[in-house]
Amino acid sequence: MSNVTYLPWVPSEEGEPTQARVVSFESVVDTAPERVAETSPDDVYESLLRKLAISDMSAHEVRLWLREKELDEAQAEEMLAKVEHLGYVDDYRLAQQLLLRLTNRKGQGRSAIAMELRKRKLSPNAVDEALQTIDQGAELDRAIDQAMGRAPGLQRLDRATAERRLQGFLARRGYPGDITREAVRAAFMEYPPVG
């Protein structure tokens, strides 16, 4: 800890202003080592249940969290199996929830969704099953909606530049090339570039 210097205009214990003085906190601070409270597996389990009540986690994320709690491997796997059996951890359900959020709220395409699901370390089977539920027609509709929202701002540009920018925008959103081209064509039929 650093020392504190008192200012001259601050009265001393006698009530008179004093010269600057230095006081060390060494005598005030307890130098005893901190004692870390050991947590029992039951406490860790209760904490995990509270955490899962707030937000869903993948099985991989639960494993990592349990490792941080310094449980032995057998206890951690037993705890994970228990919460999976109770339905609190389900990679398939989490994959579907993320898929709906990413498509409906963020308007993302298949490759961006796949990347997000893999980033969460969901089981490969859960990721594949979720991606198979994406309807190509609905994906095209989302891409067209995204393109229609962006196209009016590109009307002042020449057609080649506007197409390049809109295709780049949709590609960053995770839409494949064929859907991107069709969405750009539909958007520019409604909002043609005039630049």
Side-chain angles (χ1 to χ4, degrees), residues 8-127:
W9 56 84
V10 176
S12 67
E13 289 89 31
E14 294 85 37
E16 302 175 11
T18 60
Q19 295 295 332
R21 57 192 166 113
V22 177
V23 176
S24 171
F25 278 106
E26 301 304 323
S27 60
V28 179
V29 176
D30 181 17
T31 57
E34 276 188 36
R35 293 200 173 113
V36 177
E38 292 184 22
T39 56
S40 70
D42 290 339
D43 293 338
V44 171
Y45 182 70
E46 292 299 319
S47 180
L48 176 60
L49 291 180
R50 284 190 301 275
K51 189 164 182 61
L52 290 170
I54 294 169
S55 67
D56 280 329
M57 297 170 68
S58 68
H60 178 76
E61 291 167 338
V62 170
R63 274 191 190 93
L64 290 177
W65 187 84
L66 291 172
R67 269 190 215 139
E68 290 174 4
K69 302 302 176 195
E70 298 180 4
L71 291 178
D72 66 47
E73 198 67 32
Q75 287 176 321
E77 286 302 315
E78 181 182 326
M79 206 171 287
L80 175 59
K82 187 174 182 179
V83 293
E84 283 180 324
H85 176 73
L86 292 171
Y88 298 146
V89 174
D90 184 348
D91 280 1
Y92 291 91
R93 182 186 69 231
L94 181 57
Q96 286 299 323
Q97 289 172 347
L98 290 171
L99 173 77
L100 288 174
R101 182 174 59 89
L102 294 170
T103 56
N104 295 339
R105 289 189 197 162
K106 295 191 172 187
Q108 292 188 334
R110 179 182 301 268
S111 64
I113 293 168
M115 190 167 59
E116 183 65 28
L117 296 179
R118 289 185 181 109
K119 187 167 54 169
R120 293 288 300 266
K121 303 285 189 199
L122 295 168
S123 74
N125 291 339
V127 171

